[in-house]
């Protein structure tokens, strides 16, 4: 059995507005169906009594803001959801967006996260239910 999932709480965006960035990242992990699933994979495989469990963490790296927006927060409308939920203000989100866009204009944008890949083998006498 091989499973992979993102651990959205590992998302890290290089931004001067660290409080807003950390609040937004926490909101993403808490808002998704299971934004912390990646970190839970080993335990979940153990709970299914799989053996020979192996876990790898694969980094995701974004070095341009357009790609980051197309493949992460904007894809799920997280910025707007965070503002609607009152987690961050529209002004804070606007400042963060402008700071990140400015970093991108200077070829200095950076963000990273992790995908966790876990594998295990079921024993011959056991089948998954």
């Amino acid at each position: 059995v091989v499973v992979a999932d993102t651990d959205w709480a590992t998302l890290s965006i290089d931004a001067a507005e660290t409080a807003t960035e950390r609040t937004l990242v926490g909101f993403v992990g808490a808002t998704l169906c299971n934004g912390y699933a990646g970190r839970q994979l080993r335990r979940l495989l153990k709970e299914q009594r799989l053996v020979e469990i192996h876990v790898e963490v694969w980094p995701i790296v974004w070095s341009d803001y357009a790609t980051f927006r197309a493949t992460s927060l904007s894809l799920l409308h997280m910025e707007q959801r965070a503002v609607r939920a009152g987690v961050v203000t529209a002004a804070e989100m606007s400042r963060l967006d402008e700071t990140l866009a400015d970093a991108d204009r200077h070829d200095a944008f950076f963000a990273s996260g992790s995908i966790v890949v876990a594998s295990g083998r079921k024993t011959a006498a056991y089948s998954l239910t």
Side-chain angles (χ1 to χ4, degrees):
V1 174
V2 178
V3 291
D5 210 331
T6 306
D7 183 339
W8 280 101
T10 65
L11 179 61
S12 180
I13 309 164
D14 180 20
E17 295 80 13
T18 54
T20 302
E21 183 266 351
R22 289 289 85 197
T23 299
L24 185 61
V25 168
F27 177 78
V28 170
T31 301
L32 295 173
C33 178
N34 187 350
Y36 307 109
R39 69 180 61 184
Q40 299 168 355
L41 294 179
R42 183 177 186 280
R43 175 177 45 82
L44 294 171
L45 293 181
K46 292 290 269 186
E47 288 172 357
Q48 293 300 313
R49 298 188 308 225
L50 296 181
V51 296
E52 299 175 19
I53 294 173
H54 178 73
V55 178
E56 293 181 19
V57 178
W58 295 3
I60 308 167
V61 174
W62 294 274
S63 58
D64 71 272
Y65 194 36
T67 301
F68 174 76
R69 290 190 60 77
T71 60
S72 61
L73 302 179
S74 297
L75 186 66
L76 302 170
H77 308 290
M78 281 297 159
E79 296 105 329
Q80 296 91 340
R81 291 166 73 177
V83 170
R84 280 195 309 270
V87 174
V88 295
T89 67
E92 289 171 326
M93 200 63 246
S94 180
R95 276 193 305 276
L96 178 62
D97 181 59
E98 182 51 40
T99 298
L100 298 177
D102 187 56
D104 193 54
R105 285 189 290 275
H106 292 91
D107 195 28
F109 176 81
F110 180 80
S112 63
S114 299
I115 294 176
V116 180
V117 179
S119 63
R121 184 177 57 79
K122 65 180 185 172
T123 61
Y126 176 73
S127 63
L128 295 175
T129 56

